[in-house]
Amino acid sequence: MRRSRAFIPTTKEAPSDATLPSHIFLSRAGFITQVAAGLYNYLPLAKRVIEKIENIINEEMTKIGAQEVELSFVTPAELWQKSGRIEKFGKELLRFHDRKNNLFVLGPTHEEMMVDVVRNRVTSYKNLPLNLYQIKTKFRDEARPRFGLMRGREFIMKDGYSFHATAEDLDREFDTVETAYKKILTRLGLDFRIVEADSGAIGGSGSKELMVLADSGEDTIAVCSKCEYGANLEAASRSKRSEIPEAPEVTFNKFTTPDVKTIDELADFFKIDPYFTIKCVAKRVVYEDESEIVLFFVRGCDTLQDVKALNATEALDIVDVTEEELQAIGLVPGFIGPLDQDKAKHVIDSDLKDAKDLVCGANELDYHYIGVDLSILSDVAYFEDIAEVNEGDICPNCEGELTFSKGIEVGHIFKLGTTYSKALKAEFLDENGKAQPFIMGTYGMGVSRLVAAVIEQHHDENGCIWTKATAPYMVNIMISNIKDEAQTQAGEQLYKQLQDANVEVMLDDRKERFGFKMKDAELIGFPYTIVIGKELVNGYVQIFDRATKEKTDIKSEEIFDKIMELI
Ligand code: ATP
Ligand code: MG
């Protein structure tokens, strides 16, 4: 491509709402333009990057026997009513009526549609397993679209769905897809972790996320310093602490603690480690048609993990409560403890099961219990893992320590089980001729988010640094002075040679200052720029490596071979 003909509208200014490097640089380098909140146009450079990512996905999917399809973007709302997700997805689901007043949604994901496609068409175990996928535009009316391609409303997703006769076969396919996804991200040149994820409201048994490691990631993941373990904070678990602070030695008693309300005040008052205190987090838990106050108890040194709390109560939402609401049901804010179970439902963190030497609220103004032994609640209370892991906690799989890092979720693979096939009555006949619901897996990968993720991981203050597998053009030939005939000729010749060798090459033949063109090349992020300049008369040209910023002089007659070797 000749730069003089290319549609690459680079600018100095970033969009006013852009905070992330990928948003700033993809906009400034002329990859994308914004249409409205969360809606973007992909310009030629972005289209090329997207196509490369899609090609790699297609290749790896083909290798594992997955077949590509393309389902209608506009989806009958009826399918979403049958699965019950029309409520669960809420306002993210864009709904509209056609001229005959039929209700439709713009597909935010396609579980329902894919089940509907397979239903009554695959009828026997003999035709299983089956893995179908598509790469397609999705629409989610996100509450807070932001960060450019990272969280759009319209975005491109690769979504795959597998159908199985047995749970074992789903396990096998899940592992196969996980391996293929690893290959894709490795080929794209990304540093990533696969982590355990929350299975959430959809239910199902296993769920993993693919996280590209980047400081700007919206997700926090806990990773083990010793083994492969990694998990989203929403799903991370831990082993019991091995080093426990010195326990306060007291017998059970009620103690006056005037005005001692917070955990810090409590620990200070008794001169004990917050580990031995019990914190109450009161919330209003919202179900489909009702809500109730639930008291969550964790150790004073821990915090409540909202998603874990949501899962423990099987609620739709969890919201804050006021002191007045608590007082209305006879609770005393600041002094709520788990020993009286009658006023509200309790959920106690599993780390507190059978724990001893504790201090907790006595459910009475200005009183706490000391020397509390929670084993008395073992059989009556509800214990669940609801605490967020802390940095330094012990890995659930080995004795290593957990540390936190930030990640961008670029993929999510999920053992769905029979949730959708049951809801949509999609069945096959098993070996005994008995009708069974399909056992399913679902596998998503954010294609347009990956474009942003590459840049989040690979950029500097001057712009994008594309990896070899994702670069829109591998080589940029820069004719330093377009009026110099020899330079122009050498540039044109190399351009032709590289094109003939199927190298993706750009020829910067614009009548612009060298400095301007170089800045432009850095902003766009071509892996290699070949500068054909003053030294040509002495038989030399220069290679500029975008990632290392190294400039190497090469004999002009050797440049073609050198490029072929580099790429
Ligand atoms: P998130 O927690 O980031 O909202 P999600 O859990 O809603 O993601 P999935 O429903 O699992 O995402 O979708 C599969 C993949 O699609 C995600 O892993 C992500 O890469 C991509 N994706 C989801 N929502 C968006 C979005 N709004 N913009 C761009 N990509 C997205
Ligand atoms: Mg989402």
Side-chain angles (χ1 to χ4, degrees):
M1 187 74 211
R2 285 175 187 277
R3 186 69 169 86
S4 57
R5 314 280 350 124
F7 182 52
I8 308 174
T10 54
T11 59
K12 281 213 176 90
E13 279 79 44
S16 57
D17 64 329
T19 50
L20 291 196
S22 63
H23 190 184
I24 294 170
F25 292 136
L26 290 172
S27 306
R28 283 195 48 212
F31 284 73
I32 55 170
T33 61
Q34 186 172 18
V35 187
L39 304 181
Y40 289 88
N41 296 318
Y42 305 122
L43 303 189
L45 288 181
K47 272 301 279 182
R48 293 180 72 93
V49 177
I50 289 167
E51 205 177 280
K52 298 204 158 182
I53 297 173
E54 290 180 352
N55 286 345
I56 290 177
I57 293 175
N58 280 325
E59 281 171 25
E60 295 303 331
M61 286 301 111
T62 305
K63 278 186 208 160
I64 62 165
Q67 300 167 72
E68 191 177 15
V69 294
E70 184 164 345
L71 307 188
S72 170
F73 183 28
V74 173
T75 315
E78 196 196 335
L79 291 173
W80 287 77
Q81 279 151 354
K82 278 188 189 153
S83 73
R85 274 212 294 188
I86 198 143
E87 280 94 29
K88 269 190 197 135
F89 242 85
K91 288 189 173 158
E92 273 191 33
L93 207 54
L94 188 66
R95 307 142 207 239
F96 56 94
H97 290 96
D98 67 3
R99 63 168 77 200
K100 290 181 179 148
N101 210 30
N102 297 313
L103 186 62
F104 287 92
V105 308
L106 282 186
T109 171
H110 271 103
E111 279 81 8
E112 285 83 351
M113 275 279 270
M114 198 62 93
V115 172
D116 195 54
V117 167
V118 168
R119 186 166 61 127
N120 295 334
R121 296 193 175 90
V122 174
T123 50
S124 161
Y125 75 95
K126 289 179 201 148
N127 303 110
L128 295 173
L130 183 65
N131 188 335
L132 300 174
Y133 78 97
Q134 62 175 347
I135 297 178
K136 200 168 166 89
T137 296
K138 299 281 178 288
F139 191 92
R140 293 184 186 177
D141 205 352
E142 296 269 356
R144 297 212 295 146
R146 61 207 151 127
F147 306 143
L149 298 188
M150 202 71 92
R151 184 171 297 284
R153 290 195 293 166
E154 191 177 302
F155 58 97
I156 307 171
M157 199 209 290
K158 175 265 164 185
D159 47 325
Y161 310 86
S162 69
F163 297 82
H164 308 270
T166 64
E168 294 71 43
D169 196 49
L170 168 61
D171 291 347
R172 178 204 50 75
E173 185 74 8
F174 186 84
D175 293 344
T176 306
V177 175
E178 181 179 335
T179 308
Y181 270 30
K182 274 191 208 164
K183 278 196 194 147
I184 292 166
L185 296 188
T186 307
R187 283 182 64 182
L188 291 174
L190 290 166
D191 187 11
F192 64 96
R193 276 267 189 162
I194 297 191
V195 302
E196 285 174 25
D198 164 50
S199 299
I202 320 180
S205 50
S207 158
K208 288 186 181 177
E209 284 166 348
L210 289 96
M211 293 284 182
V212 166
L213 302 181
D215 294 338
S216 58
E218 283 188 275
D219 288 86
T220 304
I221 55 177
V223 293
C224 177
S225 53
K226 258 196 170 162
C227 75
E228 283 275 281
Y229 180 78
N232 194 315
L233 268 201
E234 296 172 353
S237 57
R238 58 185 177 186
S239 290
K240 284 227 180 243
R241 276 212 211 179
S242 50
E243 283 166 37
I244 289 169
E246 201 184 325
E249 276 176 37
V250 284
T251 46
F252 181 73
N253 213 334
K254 196 156 96 180
F255 215 89
T256 346
T257 52
D259 270 340
V260 173
K261 286 184 174 175
T262 68
I263 290 298
D264 284 345
E265 287 165 356
L266 191 63
D268 207 44
F269 185 90
F270 287 108
K271 304 274 173 284
I272 54 170
D273 193 289
Y275 177 83
F276 293 106
T277 65
I278 300 180
K279 172 161 50 183
C280 171
V281 187
K283 295 275 183 187
R284 177 165 293 282
V285 168
V286 184
Y287 307 102
E288 211 150 306
D289 331 290
E290 48 172 2
S291 76
E292 66 175 327
I293 288 174
V294 174
L295 306 178
F296 297 94
F297 295 96
V298 296
R299 285 192 189 269
C301 54
D302 287 331
T303 44
L304 179 72
Q305 213 307 318
D306 289 345
V307 174
K308 287 185 180 180
L310 200 66
N311 291 341
T313 47
E314 291 178 24
L316 288 179
D317 199 7
I318 289 189
V319 295
D320 289 339
V321 282
T322 60
E323 295 205 345
E324 290 70 37
E325 283 177 86
L326 298 176
Q327 281 154 353
I329 57 168
L331 291 164
V332 191
F335 300 90
I336 303 175
L339 295 189
D340 306 292
Q341 299 261 322
D342 54 338
K343 299 207 170 65
K345 187 195 234 172
H346 289 191
V347 182
I348 306 177
D349 184 49
S350 39
D351 196 52
L352 282 167
K353 191 158 189 178
D354 298 330
K356 294 181 178 56
D357 308 313
L358 299 160
V359 174
C360 69
N363 296 312
E364 201 179 319
L365 189 67
D366 291 342
Y367 281 99
H368 277 88
Y369 288 126
I370 59 172
V372 176
D373 179 350
L374 276 194
S375 61
I376 55 166
L377 293 181
S378 283
D379 301 327
V380 286
Y382 176 46
F383 290 89
E384 269 292 315
D385 175 15
I386 51 169
E388 191 157 286
V389 300
N390 303 302
E391 260 185 302
D393 278 349
I394 307 297
C395 169
N397 293 349
C398 76
E399 68 286 4
E401 274 188 16
L402 298 178
T403 58
F404 289 178
S405 44
K406 290 282 179 190
I408 300 167
E409 183 200 319
V410 295
H412 194 172
I413 57 176
F414 208 104
K415 291 180 192 172
L416 274 179
T418 55
T419 318
Y420 291 89
S421 46
K422 272 185 185 153
L424 295 160
K425 301 209 169 44
E427 298 178 330
F428 66 96
L429 294 180
D430 69 11
E431 279 175 72
N432 306 316
K434 191 167 171 257
Q436 301 280 8
F438 293 109
I439 298 170
M440 291 180 61
T442 175
Y443 318 97
M445 189 171 259
V447 176
S448 48
R449 184 178 283 184
L450 270 168
V451 177
V454 172
I455 296 308
E456 286 308 318
Q457 212 173 62
H458 302 270
H459 68 269
D460 62 14
E461 66 284 1
N462 297 336
C464 309
I465 304 177
W466 295 99
T467 62
K468 285 184 186 172
T470 56
Y473 291 91
M474 187 65 94
V475 178
N476 177 42
I477 302 171
M478 171 107 59
I479 301 170
S480 179
N481 178 7
I482 202 84
K483 288 181 199 141
D484 182 315
E485 198 135 312
Q487 285 184 20
T488 306
Q489 220 176 38
E492 293 282 351
Q493 193 194 336
L494 182 60
Y495 179 54
K496 173 108 198 354
Q497 258 183 313
L498 289 172
Q499 274 189 321
D500 289 346
N502 285 326
V503 175
E504 292 170 299
V505 55
M506 177 76 78
L507 176 69
D508 198 341
D509 55 349
R510 292 175 298 171
K511 277 195 198 108
E512 298 279 1
R513 279 181 305 105
F514 173 74
F516 171 84
K517 293 207 281 192
M518 205 56 206
K519 270 212 170 104
D520 207 56
E522 284 198 63
L523 178 62
I524 293 168
F526 306 102
Y528 301 105
T529 291
I530 315 301
V531 180
I532 301 182
K534 284 196 199 106
E535 285 301 307
L536 185 68
V537 286
N538 301 322
Y540 281 94
V541 297
Q542 200 173 56
I543 299 184
F544 171 70
D545 182 323
R546 179 66 184 87
T548 62
K549 292 192 165 184
E550 253 167 23
K551 293 171 184 162
T552 322
D553 291 325
I554 302 276
K555 281 204 177 119
S556 49
E557 67 260 27
E558 287 168 13
I559 185 69
F560 176 77
D561 291 339
K562 182 68 191 170
I563 294 172
M564 297 312 282
E565 179 196 312
L566 282 173
I567 65 175

